[in-house]
């Protein structure tokens, strides 16, 4: 609080949330289930336009999503490699294109985001 910043913590379980005044209800997630950077960009670009006037918090899920076979056979090299594949692009997209439109961004391994 000394830094004059606000931290919002959402919680999906309503009973738990109702026991704690400092928890917010879960934010809606926009998850594109994209398997490559181009699919993710198209999904997020459309979502940003569609949600521009929403009056609730929503989360732009900025992840690539492996298929079941990708995970079972380790075809993508794991979540860390998937994240590294997209992280710098995601940072650029939000910094240069969507900086006025998004309210919450979710990424994995945020240190990869530059």
């Amino acid at each position: 609080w000394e830094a004059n910043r606000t931290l919002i913590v959402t919680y999906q379980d309503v009973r738990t949330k109702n026991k704690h005044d400092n928890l917010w209800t879960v934010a809606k997630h926009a998850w594109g289930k994209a398997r490559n950077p181009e699919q993710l960009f198209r999904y997020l670009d459309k979502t940003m336009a569609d949600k521009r006037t929403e009056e609730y918090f929503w989360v732009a899920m900025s992840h690539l999503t492996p298929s079941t076979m990708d995970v079972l056979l380790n075809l993508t090299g794991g979540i860390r490699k998937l994240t590294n594949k997209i992280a710098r692009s995601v940072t650029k997209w939000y910094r240069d294109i969507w900086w006025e439109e998004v309210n919450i961004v979710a990424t994995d391994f945020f240190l990869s985001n530059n």
Side-chain angles (χ1 to χ4, degrees), residues 17-59:
K17 183 255 174 237
N18 288 340
K19 291 179 187 177
H20 304 279
D21 291 337
N22 55 346
L23 294 177
W24 289 40
T25 56
V26 67
K28 296 182 183 202
H29 293 86
W31 193 292
K33 297 183 178 104
R35 304 232 7 242
N36 63 58
E38 295 78 21
Q39 287 176 336
L40 182 61
F41 179 85
R42 283 192 306 272
Y43 172 78
L44 290 172
D45 197 47
K46 181 178 181 332
T47 300
M48 294 299 166
D50 292 347
K51 294 192 176 291
R52 184 171 287 139
T53 60
E54 294 296 349
E55 295 181 0
Y56 58 83
F57 284 126
W58 63 276
V59 182

Side-chain angles (χ1 to χ4, degrees), residues 19-110:
K19 291 179 187 177
H20 304 279
D21 291 337
N22 55 346
L23 294 177
W24 289 40
T25 56
V26 67
K28 296 182 183 202
H29 293 86
W31 193 292
K33 297 183 178 104
R35 304 232 7 242
N36 63 58
E38 295 78 21
Q39 287 176 336
L40 182 61
F41 179 85
R42 283 192 306 272
Y43 172 78
L44 290 172
D45 197 47
K46 181 178 181 332
T47 300
M48 294 299 166
D50 292 347
K51 294 192 176 291
R52 184 171 287 139
T53 60
E54 294 296 349
E55 295 181 0
Y56 58 83
F57 284 126
W58 63 276
V59 182
M61 306 301 288
S62 301
H63 310 84
L64 293 179
T65 306
S67 70
T68 302
M69 292 307 291
D70 290 340
V71 173
L72 291 175
L73 299 175
N74 197 29
L75 298 176
T76 61
I79 299 297
R80 169 74 76 175
K81 283 194 175 182
L82 276 178
T83 298
N84 285 340
K85 183 177 181 179
I86 193 70
R88 284 174 180 75
S89 294
V90 165
T91 298
K92 186 175 181 347
W93 299 339
Y94 288 109
R95 183 190 61 222
D96 298 346
I97 303 170
W98 304 314
W99 63 277
E100 288 186 300
E101 298 174 31
V102 68
N103 55 41
I104 302 172
V105 177
T107 64
D108 289 327
F109 308 106
F110 71 91

